[in-house]
Every structure is written in structure tokens, then in C-alpha cells.
Amino acid sequence: MSPLPDRLLEVDGVTVDYDGFKALDGFSLTLDAGEIRVVIGPNGAGKSTLCDTIIGRVRPSAGRVLFRGQDISKLPEHRIAGLGICRKFQAPGVLASLSVADNLGIAAAIDKRWWRSFGFGTPPAEAERIAVILERIGLAGRRDVLAGTLAHGEKQWLEIGMVVATEAELLLLDEPTAGMGPAETTRTAELIRSLAGDHSIIVIDHDMAFVEQLAARVTVMHQGQFLMQGSIAEVRADARVAEVYLGRAK
Amino acid sequence: MFRLKRQFVVAAGVAGVAAFAPFVLGGYDLNLLARFLALSLLALGIVLTWGHGGILSLGQGVFFGLGGYALAMHMKLTPLAPGEVPDFMMLGGLEALPAWWVPFGNPGFALLAVVLVPGIVAALFAWSVFGRRVGGTYFALITQALALAFATLLVSAQETTGGFNGLTDFQVVLGLDLNGAEAGRTLYWVTLLVLALGWAGVAALLASRFGTMLRAVRDGENRVRFLGHDAAAYKIIAFAVAAMLAGAAGALFTLHAGVISPAMVGVVPSIEMVIWVAIGGRTSLAGAIAGTLAVNFARDAISSAFPDLRPYALGLLFILVVTLLPGGLAELLAARFRKVAR
Ligand SMILES: Nc1ncnc2c1ncn2[C@@H]1O[C@H](COP(=O)(O)OP(=O)(O)OP(=O)(O)O)[C@@H](O)[C@H]1O
Ligand SMILES: [Mg+2]
């Protein structure tokens, strides 16, 4: 029995430099197994860049990213994904000409080596997993519909479903409620809460009502740097946060 | 979406009907049809790479040429006595066969080379390009440069490649007398069989999990990569398979045309190949075959009536199709069918 909670992710002093502009500037963050963490910050604070760095799309010029203690900041993307990190992008990116079930199937594939693709149909274990997720994201009735024809909110759920289908340990959800109405947002919050425990999740969002429904710890970023961390109430009460974010945005 | 059984039935049906062509068509028309069926084999590969993989290659002529030259070299060597060199080499002053020609004297090697040389060249090329994340327009430009370089190389290496005139004047292939009465029919049937098998094979590939992955990469390469798949692998395989089909097409075409030359492998023919598929419908195998046949027969008719007009007519047709009917003839037909079914 380990007395400390398992440390899953450690972003350690990471700097990302876009031609002299520091989108991340010595940023650090740690996440325990099973935890949900919300990351907020004004536009351009570097939230999406943080996700990009964790999944290897962007390489840090300084600092390290440790996943279960292993430095992943130099691994190729599909290897990082293979370790159990999966990200939902900010712009909806479902595979438009594939059916809803095939979208989930690609995420759910257990053996992702290319030579395993020479065969027909979905292996039973994956089909089962797909069926469970279709229920969970409320798209069971639309499994054979082309993903490109889904409504905006449904696309977001499908994307969350794809991330979940990978059975990744760490899920990064970049603005999962963008473009959703209040009812859809509430359903999304329920969905994400139901995932905690099985997964650790970093959620990025602007919508404070949504963040409140998640009832999770919040990390505030500003200009690529760590600003503060605490419960949603503490964040709301913090004068610096109000200045850089809440005060200006709302 | 992509129903495999129906594809098999259609492919078998079309091939079955087309098998009677030698009893109906005259020698000239049969030869034209055979050439265009060979080209259709190449078109199937473009459906795979471009239609389903989103990889636009403007250099398929290179792989067509590699296959064509591989077989042509074998045919140049077959009638020679030991120690002799082909006619054009003699004219060029070469006394001995270059070492890289020697293995092509073996029929088994030559036949394997027809598909394996293009396949391996394409796989290495695609691996080096896609591995570096070069895609889209850049990839199209690089393949076009490859076609240009290949044609230029063939012309400049006159003594060993036949230069501008290419390789021609073939007598026998694998024991079949090319000047004999039965040669036309036999080669036509061989071509038809290879095309039918190619059609069924590509259809199976597109219906498999590989096909789904390839379309997924086309729709969102980054997405597929971040879901943990090696996206480049699917593109490399599709590109190599297309090159093997192009190589086989080049060999068959060389048999029917009696010649392979740099004019058939360079930039302009490579672009024309894409146009056939665009017109037929880039995601449809049947459409690509129909497009290849339609464009080439039309082109033959236009060339004999107004030789100067051909490039303009083809260009115009391409622009019209791409702007008005992005799915090609196949889309037009599918829309008709849906209306009838309703
Ligand atoms: N590829 C890039 N090249 C140059 N600058 C970039 C690049 N990507 C992001 N940036 C800049 O880095 C900063 C951080 O961007 P990022 O997308 O991470 O912000 P964000 O916090 O996700 O913002 P938003 O809330 O708008 O999504 C921004 O100022 C942005 O303009
Ligand atoms: Mg962002």
C-alpha cells in the first residue's frame, strides 16, 4: 500500500517557444490517478498548447513531461498515445466520412499495429466496448450514421466517446462544451464525472457554469504561466484571477 | 457503404461480358480496348491512394514505366544468342550487356520485377516522404518532379534504355509469338483477367479494416495518429499497392502497344492518369475503369480527327468535371439509381 496517491502526470517547468513568443513559460502541473482537473485561463493563456505538449504535437524547449515517471517529451505521438494518453481537440475532429461506430472502432482498436488491419469486421471484444460507449454517449441509435452529418453537440460527444474508447488512462478534453446549450452542457458534465475513477481527466473550458458542475480542482493559467490552483470557490474568490480572467471575461 | 459481395459480382459480370469482345471486335479495336483495360488497372490504384487515401500522386507514370521497362527488357533479351546485345545497344556501341540488364533475361525475375520494383521504389519513396510529414500539395509536386526526373533519365541514358525511342520491336513473350494470329486475343484475355483480379483485390482491401483506416487517415490524419495509430503506414502501403498495379498496367500496356518510351511515363501522362479517375469518380473502382475507357476512347477519336485539340479537350473536360461534378461519372450514376429506387 503506498501512502501517497499515485502520481500519474507531471508537467515540470515546461516552456514552449513559438519564434520567441512563449506560449508556455516554465509551466508545471501534477495530476494524480483518477483525478479530474479543470484548467482555465483567458484566451491565449496556453491551455491548448499544454495539451499539445503532453501528447507530443509540440515539443518543449525546456522542461519535461513525465507520465507514470517516464519522460515522454521526446517520444513520437503514436507511442505517447500507446502509453495511454488521449486528447480531444478543441475544434471538433470526428472522421467525417466514417460511421459513428467506425469512428469509435478506430479509437477502440486494441491492437493498433498496421498489419492487424488486414481483416474484415470488428473483433468481438472491441464491438462490445463500442456498444457500451454508444450507450454512454447517447448515440446508440445513430451508430451507422456518417459522423460528418451529426449535430454539433453529438460530434462533441462522439469525440469524447472516441477518447474514452481508447481506454487511455489520461484523457485531455479541450473545450468539450464549445458550442453547446445549457442542457447539453449539463449532460456533458455528467458524462465526464461518470468517467472519473476509470480515467484521469484534464478538462479545459471557459464556461464557469460547466466547471462548477464538474466539482473538481481548478488550475488557472495566465500568459503561459501557473497563476493559482484551488477549488472553484477559492478560484472565484481570488483577486488575481478576477483581474486576469473573471473580471475581464465576465 | 462499400459492399464487397456486390463489387465481386459486378467485377465478375463485367469481365464475363467483356470476355466476348474478341469475337465481336476487329483487331484494331480489340487492341485499343486491351490497352485501355491495362490503363484501367493503374486507375484502380489511383482510387485507392487518391480517392480513399487523399494522396494525390502526379507521378504514377514512373511506376507504370518501371513495370513496362522491366518486361520490355526481358522481351529484348529473349531472342538473343549468348553474348549478343539488343539492337539499340549495338548502335550505341555497347559490346557487352550492362550488369543490371542480366537478371531480366530470366522470365521469373522479370515478371516479379514488373510488380516488385515499382512496389519497392514506391514504398521507399513514400516512407521517406510521409515519414517526414510531407503531404498534400507538396507530395503532389514531389511526385511530379519524380516523373520529370525519371523521363529525363531514360532519355539521357540512351545506350542502356533506348533513350527517346524507348524499347520496341518485340518478338516473343514467355513463349507466345507476338506476331502470331492468336497473340491479340490471348493478351486481351490475360489483361482482362488481371484487371478483374485487381478489381476484386482492391475492393477487398477497401472493404477491410485497412480501407476504413485509410479513409480515416484521409479524413483526419492527426486525429488517427493521436488515437494511437501509425498513420503513415497506411499511406505507404496504399501508395505501394497502387505502384504495383501501375507496374502491372505498364507491362500489359507495353505488350499491346509494342513499345514503351519516356513519352509514356513523364509528367503529362501522369497528370492524364489522374484526370481519367477524376472523370470516372475517384472513390469508385467501377467509375475509375469507366472513366479510363471513356476518356481514352474519346481521346483516340479526337486525336484522329483533330490532332492538335487533344490536350485542350482533356484540360477542359477536367475543369468541368472537377468544378461541376466532384464525384465524377460514378456520382452521376449513383444519383440516378437513387432516384429510380425511390
Ligand atoms: N503554432 C503557433 N505558432 C505561433 N503562436 C502560436 C501557435 N499556437 C498557438 N500560438 C499562440 O500561443 C498562445 C497560446 O495559445 P493556446 O492555443 O495554447 O491558447 P488557449 O489558452 O488554448 O486559448 P483559447 O482559450 O483561445 O483556446 C496564443 O497567443 C497563440 O496565439
Ligand atoms: Mg485553446
Side-chain angles (χ1 to χ4, degrees):
Chain A
M1 284 246 168
S2 81
L4 288 169
D6 295 325
R7 166 106 356 126
L8 188 68
L9 178 76
E10 186 166 355
V11 176
D12 181 16
V14 163
T15 297
V16 168
D17 204 315
Y18 288 123
D19 299 320
F21 171 77
K22 286 182 174 155
L24 286 183
D25 188 0
F27 183 81
S28 298
L29 172 147
T30 59
L31 189 76
D32 294 332
E35 183 182 355
I36 300 186
R37 174 72 56 81
V38 177
V39 176
I40 63 170
N43 289 113
K47 307 179 296 291
S48 296
T49 305
L50 173 65
C51 293
D52 284 336
T53 312
I54 296 171
I55 58 159
R57 186 151 95 135
V58 163
R59 302 294 169 180
S61 57
R64 301 178 307 164
V65 180
L66 302 180
F67 184 65
R68 288 196 217 107
Q70 179 190 357
D71 187 353
I72 59 169
S73 55
K74 291 185 183 59
L75 294 181
E77 289 105 317
H78 70 274
R79 293 277 313 283
I80 296 177
L83 289 175
I85 302 181
C86 192
R87 174 209 184 150
K88 183 195 111 38
F89 284 86
Q90 187 164 353
V94 296
L95 304 164
S97 67
L98 270 54
S99 69
V100 167
D102 279 345
N103 267 272
L104 291 173
I106 283 178
I110 292 164
D111 188 342
K112 290 180 175 165
R113 291 171 302 180
W114 56 264
W115 57 88
R116 303 293 302 177
S117 71
F118 297 115
F120 298 93
T122 315
E126 290 164 27
E128 214 166 278
R129 204 197 280 177
I130 293 167
V132 169
I133 293 169
L134 279 169
E135 279 306 327
R136 212 160 175 183
I137 59 176
L139 294 179
R142 322 226 2 158
R143 55 166 297 145
D144 295 320
V145 170
L146 293 190
T149 65
L150 292 177
H152 184 82
E154 292 175 320
K155 278 186 190 157
Q156 295 274 26
W157 289 330
L158 175 56
E159 280 222 80
I160 296 173
M162 288 165 74
V163 171
V164 173
T166 62
E167 299 209 318
E169 212 171 338
L170 174 60
L171 312 183
L172 310 177
L173 306 179
D174 197 352
E175 309 214 5
T177 65
M180 285 187 179
E184 287 177 322
T185 301
T186 301
R187 275 200 58 191
T188 307
E190 282 167 13
L191 173 60
I192 292 173
R193 276 208 313 269
S194 77
L195 299 174
D198 294 340
H199 309 266
S200 306
I201 308 171
I202 293 180
V203 185
I204 289 170
D205 220 287
H206 283 289
D207 180 348
M208 291 311 278
F210 170 66
V211 170
E212 225 144 86
Q213 290 177 49
L214 286 176
R217 278 172 77 74
V218 180
T219 300
V220 186
M221 294 180 73
H222 179 50
Q223 295 181 347
Q225 295 179 327
F226 175 89
L227 189 68
M228 73 157 296
Q229 185 163 312
S231 70
I232 183 79
E234 287 163 351
V235 167
R236 273 193 186 279
D238 191 280
R240 291 166 302 166
V241 176
E243 192 185 316
V244 304
Y245 186 75
L246 300 173
R248 216 194 295 156
K250 312 255 147 154
Chain B
M1 236 198 117
F2 219 82
R3 287 186 212 95
L4 188 55
K5 228 186 228 155
R6 208 181 64 189
Q7 290 272 326
F8 282 171
V9 171
V10 172
V14 169
V17 172
F20 289 99
F23 307 115
V24 183
L25 295 179
Y28 176 78
D29 287 330
L30 186 67
N31 181 269
L32 275 192
L33 180 59
R35 285 185 200 198
F36 301 159
L37 288 177
L39 298 178
S40 301
L41 189 61
L42 177 143
L44 295 177
I46 298 181
V47 171
L48 181 68
T49 49
W50 186 38
H52 290 255
I55 308 159
L56 177 58
S57 164
L58 298 178
Q60 291 309 93
V62 172
F63 308 116
F64 180 83
L66 287 172
Y69 273 93
L71 188 65
M73 286 164 71
H74 174 65
M75 292 192 287
K76 292 304 283 182
L77 294 178
T78 322
L80 298 182
E84 280 184 347
V85 297
D87 42 9
F88 70 93
M89 285 190 191
M90 236 141 58
L91 293 175
L94 275 191
E95 311 263 284
L97 207 56
W100 60 275
W101 266 73
V102 173
F104 286 90
N106 179 305
F109 179 88
L111 283 185
L112 278 180
V114 161
V115 287
L116 290 188
V117 171
I120 292 169
V121 170
L124 290 176
F125 174 77
W127 177 70
S128 66
V129 177
F130 293 137
R132 294 211 179 90
R133 302 282 163 78
V134 176
T137 319
Y138 290 104
F139 183 77
L141 288 176
I142 296 172
T143 53
Q144 189 162 89
L146 189 71
L148 185 65
F150 184 59
T152 310
L153 181 75
L154 287 172
V155 172
S156 67
Q158 166 95 40
E159 315 82 52
T160 52
T161 64
F164 189 76
N165 298 322
L167 300 178
T168 184
D169 199 9
F170 310 121
Q171 308 303 328
V172 273
V173 61
L174 308 173
L176 178 71
D177 178 4
L178 289 171
N179 303 313
E182 285 305 303
R185 283 179 180 198
T186 310
L187 293 179
Y188 172 83
W189 279 320
V190 169
T191 304
L192 190 61
L193 181 67
V194 174
L195 178 63
L197 292 176
W199 186 350
V202 177
L205 202 54
L206 290 176
S208 72
R209 289 194 293 273
F210 177 87
T212 307
M213 284 306 306
L214 191 62
R215 287 183 286 277
V217 170
R218 174 193 66 191
D219 282 3
E221 184 170 350
N222 273 328
R223 167 52 38 109
V224 169
R225 196 174 302 124
F226 294 120
L227 287 171
H229 297 271
D230 184 0
Y234 299 96
K235 301 211 292 185
I236 294 168
I237 293 165
F239 194 67
V241 170
M244 294 198 273
L245 291 166
L252 291 166
F253 186 89
T254 303
L255 286 172
H256 300 301
V259 56
I260 181 83
S261 79
M264 302 166 178
V265 310
V267 172
V268 174
S270 295
I271 294 174
E272 283 188 13
M273 292 164 186
V274 174
I275 297 178
W276 311 332
V277 176
I279 288 171
R282 61 159 121 161
T283 57
S284 159
L285 297 173
I289 294 173
T292 305
L293 296 179
V295 173
N296 280 287
F297 274 114
R299 173 193 147 140
D300 185 67
I302 296 173
S303 300
S304 32
F306 320 95
D308 300 335
L309 276 185
R310 198 197 86 213
Y312 302 106
L314 207 55
L316 190 67
L317 194 58
F318 181 58
I319 294 169
L320 285 178
V321 168
V322 169
T323 50
L324 299 179
L325 196 68
L329 294 174
E331 186 178 63
L332 201 65
L333 279 180
R336 272 284 141 72
F337 267 115
R338 276 198 292 276
K339 249 182 226 147
V340 172
R342 228 180 279 143

